Each structure stands twice: as structure tokens, then as C-alpha cells.
Amino acid sequence: MFDYCIAGSGLFGSIFAYEASKRGKKCLIVEKRDSIGGNCYTKTQENINVHLYGAHIFRTSSKAIWDYVRQFADFNHFINSPLANYKGEIYNLPFNMNTFCKLWNISTPKQARDIIESQRKSALKNLKGEPKNLEEQALSLVGSDVYEKFIKGYTQKQWGRECKDLPASIIRRIPVRLTYDNNYFNDPYQGIPKGGYTPIFQKLLSQCEVRLNTDFLAHQEELKSQAKKVLFTGAIDSYFGYKLGALEYRSLHFTHETLEIPNYQGVAVVNFTDEQTPYTRIIEHKHFEFGTQERTIISKEYPQDWDKSKEPYYPINDDKNQALFAKYQELAKSEANVLFGGRLGEYKYYDMQDVIYAALELVKREFAQ
Ligand code: FAD
Ligand code: UDP
């Protein structure tokens, strides 16, 4: 008999498993993939740690989370400074003085502010109150030139919808700065675990029994009978057999190539921001760890529509889906001895630091004296 059966070996399930094991609880992890770590999983090939499910850069504003995660790995000093490739032209991201300088051939913050302000005024003449969608939010933050070159095409590819049909919150993640600063994030703590993410998960799960290639939902009766409680970190609507309808997600398809050259693009991440290029990003993995190997590995990230046969990578947190999620949450409350958590279980656009925080909050509630 187990104390917990945890469906999913991603960050949420693994942090919970680690903390529960530390408290003497016996945990069984069932994972439907053939690897642990969920989307953080890295695989070592050509002596390069490949982020098989997309670039994962750890960052946080919380000293407590930073100290917590560094129990399991040393982090390097990587700072995410991606580039935008717009029809062959290269610009710095996030939107900052380096971007504006190249885009408008200007040099001072005042010049940039004046251009953005005048573009914002003419593009949003009729806007009353707060921006209501991603297009209005982007125009209001950076004006029409930046919107047209770097946001419109990329976002429509990424989400498969027009920017005016997407929530404004998606774009608020990205900093806009009037300084020459290419750090994609504002958080004071940032880095990549030396050796990749998988060793972190091996440590987190070292005290648990792990069953790979096992879909919890296909064996749930048997698994529920073997554990006092279940933590489900897969998609909440899948747990309930989509009985209220499917939540919407965005899926991705990755291709990976080994190249017989040491350096392909000179930076870990390049965003292709035009509408025509079918992929959104090319990742060159060795640059996450300043690699000097003879060969290199690159991955292209193609967004795709989600259906039940595909991986649900991104929740689409618009009003319609939030309302449906709220109904699933109600159902979840009446599900005895089953907890839900993580990006899919809570249907939230969580980054790793958010997942760690949320998992530790659940631990506090679960093991409160
Ligand atoms: P997941 O990692 O999705 O893990 C859930 C696990 O549950 C999966 O392994 C899945 O196979 C398993 N599972 C699902 N259903 C079942 C079932 N029925 N039975 C058994 N197992 C099941 N965050 C950052 O902080 N920085 C980044 O740079 C960053 N980049 C990202 C890039 C991409 C392309 C994506 C998609 C996400 C990125 N994230 C990033 C977010 C990060 O991946 C998540 O915050 C984190 O991985 C979520 O952990 P989780 O455990 O909630 O979910
Ligand atoms: N975005 C964009 N152009 C870019 C990068 C991002 O328009 O070059 C928009 C896009 O809508 C994306 C959102 O900003 O979904 C958040 O970007 P982020 O890089 O945080 O996305 P993630 O890494 O989570 O996919």
C-alpha cells in the first residue's frame, strides 16, 4: 500500500513526491512517457544536454525558491538573451534600446519613447480603459512597428488565433525596457542546471517507486486501490473523461537535428517572428551550458492545434476556457482523496518557479500539523 499515487513525474509531481517521502510517506509515481521530468526532461546526446520539450530556463524572483532548487543542482550563469529573426534581419529581445536602436536608427530612450507614444496614440485612438486583448496590450506597450514585426506573426503562429482573440495577459510576461539590456527576464535569479534537468528529477524521485510508460487513467481503479491518496498532474479534463467538454490547449511538434559544425546560430534561442516561417523558435542546446563540443544539436519548435492524440503544452486561458475549468474544479472538489496540481491539473500557464511554489503550498496544506 502506498500513501500517494502520483500521476505525472513533471516538476509538480516530483517536488510533491520528494517532500512527501521526506515525511516518511510511501509514493508511487506513474508516468505515461518513457522518461521522468515532464517537459523539463533533458537527454544527453553528443555530450550536449538537449531540452527535448523546448528551452527551459530557470528563473525566479524568490530567494527561497532559488535556494530550494539549488539543493538539487548547481546552476550556471546563463542569462536568456534570445534574438528575433524577422525575414533574415536580426534584432535583440526582449524589446529594449538595442531593438529600438536597430529598428528606428535612434540612440536615446527619449527618441524611443516618443516613437512608441505616437504610434500608440494613432493605433489605439478608440481604446477606452485597459487593453482588452493581446493586440491592444501589445500596441499599448510598444506601438505598431514592434507589434507588426515581432509580435503579430509570432503570436498568431504560436496560438493559432488572431491577436485580438487572445487574452492580454499572455504578452505581459515580456519586459519592455528603455535601457540597453537584453536579459529576457527581470528576475534576479536565473540559470541552467549544470548537467541538465534530468539529474534533478532523479534526486527528487530517488525514494519513490517509479513506473514509466504507465497511463494512470488506463489503470486508475487498480492504482487507486493501492494508494490512500492520488495526486493527478495530467490534464484535469482528461481525468474526468472530458465529460463537460474538452478544455483548449496549444500543442507543439519538435524536430531535432545534429549538425556537423560546432556553432549554428551563436545563441541558445532565436525566435522567428514572421508569419511565413512555420516554426516559432530554433534552440541550439549547447549554448545553455556554454558548450564547446565539435558538433551541435538544434531543435525547431512548430506550434500545432491540439486534439486528444497530442500533448497539451499550453493552456489557453481565455474567458471561455476559464469558465469551463471552473466547472472542472467544482467536480474536483467532490473527488474524494484526489488532489490536482501543476500546469495541466490547474490549467495555468505556470513556469517552473510557479510550479515549485504551488507544489510547496500543497505540501504545506497536506502536511499541516
Ligand atoms: P509537466 O511538465 O507537463 O508534467 C506532467 C507530467 O504528467 C508529464 O510527464 C506527463 O506525461 C504526465 N502525465 C499526464 N497525464 C498523465 C497520465 N494520465 N498518466 C501518467 N502520467 C501523465 N518554464 C520556465 O520556468 N522556464 C522556461 O524557459 C520554460 N520553457 C517552456 C517551454 C515550453 C515549450 C513549455 C511547453 C513549457 C515551458 N516552461 C518553462 C514551463 C514548464 O515546462 C512547466 O512550468 C513545468 O514543466 C510544469 O510542470 P508540471 O509537473 O506541472 O507539468
Ligand atoms: N511573443 C511574441 N514575439 C516574441 C516572443 C514572444 O509575440 O518574439 C509573445 C507570444 O504571444 C508568446 C508570448 O509573447 O506566446 C509569451 O512569450 P514567452 O517567450 O514568454 O513564451 P513561452 O516561452 O512561454 O512560450
Side-chain angles (χ1 to χ4, degrees):
M1 192 72 183
F2 293 92
D3 292 297
Y4 292 94
C5 172
I6 299 171
S9 66
L11 198 54
F12 195 99
S14 298
I15 296 273
F16 185 87
Y18 173 79
E19 292 295 333
S21 308
K22 221 167 77 177
R23 289 163 175 81
K25 306 294 177 192
K26 208 171 154 205
C27 298
L28 168 66
I29 309 279
V30 289
E31 168 55 60
K32 69 178 176 184
R33 295 184 187 170
D34 62 3
S35 56
I36 54 171
N39 292 335
C40 301
Y41 172 66
T42 50
K43 184 173 184 182
T44 309
Q45 288 171 308
E46 303 284 344
N47 204 21
I48 298 169
N49 298 311
V50 178
H51 297 208
L52 274 192
Y53 299 100
H56 276 73
I57 300 127
F58 193 88
R59 86 278 180 174
T60 177
S61 298
S62 158
K63 173 85 166 55
I65 299 277
W66 185 232
D67 290 342
Y68 183 84
V69 75
R70 286 183 306 149
Q71 294 176 80
F72 309 107
D74 279 341
F75 279 70
N76 70 17
H77 63 282
F78 180 84
I79 297 285
N80 193 25
S81 308
L83 298 174
N85 180 322
Y86 179 76
K87 301 187 178 178
E89 292 169 21
I90 297 291
Y91 294 88
N92 289 109
L93 291 172
F95 311 122
N96 75 91
M97 281 308 296
N98 290 304
T99 330
F100 306 140
C101 179
K102 179 151 181 191
L103 188 61
W104 297 317
N105 194 24
I106 53 150
S107 57
T108 68
K110 179 173 181 332
Q111 289 171 307
R113 197 168 41 233
D114 289 349
I115 294 175
I116 292 173
E117 190 52 33
S118 98
Q119 293 190 356
R120 176 194 294 147
K121 274 194 186 135
S122 62
L124 293 171
K125 278 193 287 284
N126 303 321
L127 176 68
K128 291 194 184 70
E130 290 295 302
K132 287 175 289 301
N133 56 51
L134 196 152
E135 180 172 279
E136 289 181 0
Q137 180 69 61
L139 287 168
S140 134
L141 283 173
V142 281
S144 41
D145 284 351
V146 171
Y147 172 66
E148 294 292 336
K149 276 197 164 174
F150 305 122
I151 297 176
K152 195 171 177 209
Y154 184 97
T155 297
Q156 287 177 192
K157 285 192 293 191
Q158 169 74 1
W159 296 98
R161 296 184 185 188
E162 300 282 320
C163 293
K164 56 182 177 329
D165 299 327
L166 285 163
S169 57
I170 290 177
I171 197 86
R172 285 195 209 115
R173 294 162 57 88
I174 304 187
V176 177
R177 299 194 190 106
L178 293 179
T179 51
Y180 287 90
D181 177 359
N182 297 327
N183 185 345
Y184 200 63
F185 303 118
N186 284 325
D187 310 70
Y189 310 107
Q190 184 175 171
I192 299 284
K194 292 178 186 170
Y197 287 88
T198 302
I200 296 181
F201 288 88
Q202 286 162 345
K203 287 184 189 156
L204 289 171
L205 298 178
S206 63
Q207 303 304 313
C208 310
E209 180 174 332
V210 179
R211 290 186 202 156
L212 297 178
N213 302 305
T214 308
D215 186 337
F216 173 83
L217 296 173
H219 306 278
Q220 58 174 308
E221 272 182 34
E222 180 199 339
L223 291 166
K224 279 178 171 169
S225 73
Q226 292 171 7
K228 293 180 191 153
K229 271 193 170 180
V230 167
L231 167 61
F232 188 77
T233 72
I236 189 166
D237 53 347
S238 74
Y239 178 89
F240 291 105
Y242 306 100
K243 68 178 172 192
L244 305 176
L247 288 161
E248 288 177 287
Y249 302 89
R250 195 70 180 143
S251 192
L252 298 170
H253 168 68
F254 297 97
T255 60
H256 309 285
E257 295 165 56
T258 302
L259 306 177
E260 302 290 330
I261 52 170
N263 190 359
Y264 174 72
Q265 61 184 16
V267 66
V269 182
V270 177
N271 289 2
F272 289 78
T273 59
D274 64 296
E275 234 177 302
Q276 288 72 34
T277 307
Y279 42 86
T280 46
R281 302 190 258 218
I282 296 186
I283 310 303
E284 188 171 9
H285 302 271
K286 69 192 318 177
H287 298 307
F288 288 123
E289 297 185 64
F290 315 104
T292 54
Q293 299 85 347
E294 279 177 20
R295 294 180 184 166
T296 194
I297 301 182
I298 61 166
S299 302
K300 292 180 180 151
E301 189 173 318
Y302 296 81
Q304 59 179 8
D305 288 339
W306 174 83
D307 63 45
K308 288 173 196 162
S309 69
K310 301 207 174 73
E311 285 289 338
Y313 286 104
Y314 290 94
I316 299 184
N317 293 110
D318 61 6
D319 293 345
K320 183 181 122 202
N321 284 295
Q322 284 305 118
L324 181 56
F325 171 64
K327 291 186 186 158
Y328 276 116
Q329 258 185 319
E330 278 308 307
L331 275 185
K333 279 184 198 156
S334 53
E335 196 70 7
N337 296 325
V338 184
L339 307 164
F340 293 84
R343 211 182 219 210
L344 301 172
E346 295 174 61
Y347 197 65
K348 282 206 180 82
Y349 192 170
Y350 271 155
D351 282 316
M352 290 181 277
Q353 77 278 10
D354 308 315
V355 167
I356 294 175
Y357 180 81
L360 293 177
E361 286 298 300
L362 177 64
V363 167
K364 274 192 213 158
R365 292 196 297 277
E366 200 53 18
F367 301 110
Q369 295 303 317

